[in-house]
Amino acid sequence: MENQRNVSEFILLGLSYDHDIQIFCFVLFLVCYLSLLLGNFVILVSIRCSPLFHQPMYYFLSHLSFMDICFTSCVTPKFIGDLLVVRKTISYENCMLQVFAVHFFGMIEVLILTVMAFDRYVAICRPLHYMVVMNRTKCHLLMLAAWAGGAAHSFPQFSIAILLPFCGPNKIDHYFCDIFPLLKVACTDTYITGVLILANSGIVTLVTFVVLFVSYIIILLTLRTHSAEGRRKALTTCGSHVTVIVLFFGPAIFSYLRPPTTFPEDKIFALFYTIIAPMFNPLIYTLRNAEMKNAMRKVWC
């Protein structure tokens, strides 16, 4: 690899060159990151220390909160620190590690959201079989499959990134290392590489989103036969899931389901799935959920 690259570090251009805007962003995203850590930690501990942990939906939610912390911590601490410095650099090794970690934890989060949709489908459409289908052993296997899926997605991305030759240009127009910005500074024809990334990231994200969308349509159609109270409770739970899915998948589809190029808007859209969506997850899942509120009250009060 040494003879394929002449760069030892990359320069991240960040969100803005304006000093005042950078200071404002530092305060804003520091508050967002601390809120994200606190909110997801509270959910994680509240579920683990209450009987809710034995219910499949909350078991998956605790894993989602843990994954939110891992996923955003791959990017946000460095991003916040870089807002205070003029020259934002990242070593070649750390850049490659960041590419791997972002896609690894990001894909696990996508698959956990898919598993949560499957859980709601079984609970609403096949209620009599729910405890058989979603027993604890199968819940563990589904989570294991999510981690395996994250690895299966991220290793090809990491392999593509680490094989790219870099001959001199090292300015990345982003606030973290991602595969498309790296293609832009690689000194080789990246068309075929871009198609492979589109297939690995863009198509997978789109197909997952379509599967989730169809599953919730089926759930809504099934709810017509339920009682008014059953519909209200199911719609509250599913509404939370759908909100999270839209916040996460919308920007992700824009970022990866397109030809291998970069746009100035990429950085804004990336903020949604790296900081904003994980920050709002705790609020979305607890605001109208009486069981979560009661569990948090018992654990913390």
Side-chain angles (χ1 to χ4, degrees), residues 36 67-68 71-73 75-76 102-103 105-107 109-110 113 174-181 205 244-256 258 265-279 281:
L36 182 156
M67 209 47 56
D68 277 337
F71 176 59
T72 196
S73 295
V75 173
T76 310
V102 165
H103 285 273
F105 292 119
M107 181 51 67
E109 184 154 348
V110 165
L113 289 171
H174 215 306
Y175 62 87
F176 69 95
C177 282
D178 202 4
I179 195 73
F180 278 165
T205 305
V244 170
I245 287 166
V246 170
L247 274 176
F248 188 88
F249 277 88
I253 289 172
F254 173 84
S255 298
Y256 295 106
R258 63 167 198 235
E265 295 82 8
D266 288 348
K267 293 180 277 190
I268 305 301
F269 278 97
L271 289 172
F272 277 90
Y273 60 82
T274 56
I275 301 176
I276 296 173
M279 179 186 71
N281 280 359

Side-chain angles (χ1 to χ4, degrees), residues 112 119 167 198 257 272 281:
I112 291 175
D119 171 71
C167 307
L198 177 65
L257 190 67
F272 277 90
N281 280 359

Side-chain angles (χ1 to χ4, degrees), residues 3 24 32 38-39 43 65 72 98 161 202-203 215 247 274:
N3 58 11
F24 171 77
C32 288
L38 178 63
I43 283 187
S65 292
T72 196
Q98 195 172 60
I203 301 300
S215 69
L247 274 176
T274 56

Side-chain angles (χ1 to χ4, degrees), residues 15 21 29 143:
L15 288 180
I21 292 178
F29 292 117
M143 283 310 308

